[in-house]
Amino acid sequence: MKRLAILAAALALAACGRAPDRLVDGSGRVVSGRLTALDGASATFKGFSVEIPGGRASVLLRSGALYRGDVSLESGTLSVSGDGIEASARLRDVAVITWGPASVRNLLLDVHAGSGWCDTHLYVERGARVVILAGGSSVVGTGTVGPEGLERTATTISLSPESLDGSLVGRIGEDGDPFTIGESWASVAETDGYLELAVNAPSTGAAAGYYTVSITVESDGTENLTAIFPGR
C-alpha cells in the first residue's frame, strides 16, 4: 500500500499551472521540481541534482510509443539513442522514463464502452510495475466523457461502483478488485493474473465509443527501479 500511495502521488497534477516533474526510486523516495537536464549519471532539477542509475532507460511516450536506449535532455527535448535507434520528443510528450528491468512488454488497444471487461491477454506477476495511459471518448448515461469519467459516481450495478461513471477501470484477474485508471495510472501489482480493462458502466446499459489505451509492464520488480514522470 505504501508503494501504491507513493506512485499515485507521483502522477498527481498540480493545482494550477504546469505540474512538477517527479522522480521516484525503489526505496520510495520522491523528488519533485522542474527537470532541466539528464545525462548518464544524474537528473538535474532547477536548483539541485539527483543521482540516477545510468545505463539504458525505457521511455514511454503519451502516444504509446516505447523506446529503450541512452537518454539525454537538453532545452526541453529528450533524446534516446541505442541499437540503431535515434528518437527525440518534447519532455511534456513523455509519460514516463524508467531505469531498471529490461523485461518490458508494451501493448496498444481499444477498450469499447458497453463491452464489459476486456481481457488484454497480458499476464501480470506480483511485483511487476504497470503503467497505463488512455485517451478517447465514450457516451454513457447522459453525457460524453473521457477516461477520467463523469463528475458523479457510478451505480451499484456498474463494473466498478466506487469509480466515476464512464471512467477507465481495471482489475488483475477475474476475481480481482476493480480500480480506477482514468487518463494515467502507475503502480506495482499486488497479485498475479491477467490484466482486464473496461469503460465503467452497467454491463447491460447502452454505451458507445472507446478509449485507446497504452499499457507497459516491467516484470522484474521495482527494488532497483528509478522512474521520472514529467509534468504537463
Side-chain angles (χ1 to χ4, degrees):
M1 294 301 294
K2 178 181 177 182
R3 286 180 179 171
L4 287 173
I6 290 169
L7 290 168
L11 287 172
L13 295 177
C16 60
R18 183 181 183 275
D21 306 309
R22 300 178 188 269
L23 180 149
V24 184
D25 65 20
S27 70
R29 178 182 59 161
V30 179
V31 174
S32 63
R34 182 67 178 271
L35 183 66
T36 59
L38 277 175
D39 57 31
S42 64
T44 301
F45 291 79
K46 188 175 182 178
F48 62 95
S49 295
V50 179
E51 289 186 3
I52 55 176
R56 292 189 172 189
S58 296
V59 178
L60 177 65
L61 303 186
R62 297 185 187 277
S63 66
L66 177 69
Y67 301 97
R68 186 168 178 83
D70 297 317
V71 298
S72 61
L73 175 67
E74 185 176 355
S75 301
T77 298
L78 184 77
S79 299
V80 187
S81 61
D83 293 336
I85 296 174
E86 296 289 340
S88 62
R90 295 177 301 175
L91 185 62
R92 67 182 182 181
D93 293 329
V94 176
V96 62
I97 309 164
T98 57
W99 291 263
S103 178
V104 178
R105 289 170 291 161
N106 183 251
L107 178 67
L108 188 68
L109 78 163
D110 293 333
V111 178
H112 290 264
S115 298
W117 289 104
C118 169
D119 187 352
T120 66
H121 301 289
L122 280 177
Y123 189 82
V124 177
E125 296 177 346
R126 183 176 182 178
R129 175 171 173 72
V130 184
V131 178
I132 302 174
L133 304 170
S137 63
S138 64
V139 180
V140 294
T142 59
T144 300
V145 65
E148 290 294 318
L150 296 169
E151 288 300 321
R152 65 168 184 263
T153 54
T155 67
T156 56
I157 61 173
S158 294
L159 297 174
S160 179
E162 300 301 320
S163 302
L164 294 180
D165 201 18
S167 61
L168 180 67
V169 296
R171 67 183 182 185
I172 297 177
E174 291 185 1
D175 298 324
D177 293 329
F179 54 88
T180 301
I181 295 170
E183 291 183 346
S184 60
W185 181 88
S187 190
V188 176
E190 295 188 330
T191 187
D192 301 329
Y194 284 98
L195 176 64
E196 299 183 352
L197 304 177
V199 177
N200 193 36
S203 57
T204 57
Y210 62 90
Y211 300 144
T212 298
V213 182
S214 169
I215 308 167
T216 298
V217 178
E218 294 177 304
S219 57
D220 291 335
T222 61
E223 292 303 322
N224 298 314
L225 179 71
T226 296
I228 291 178
F229 296 89
R232 296 190 74 177

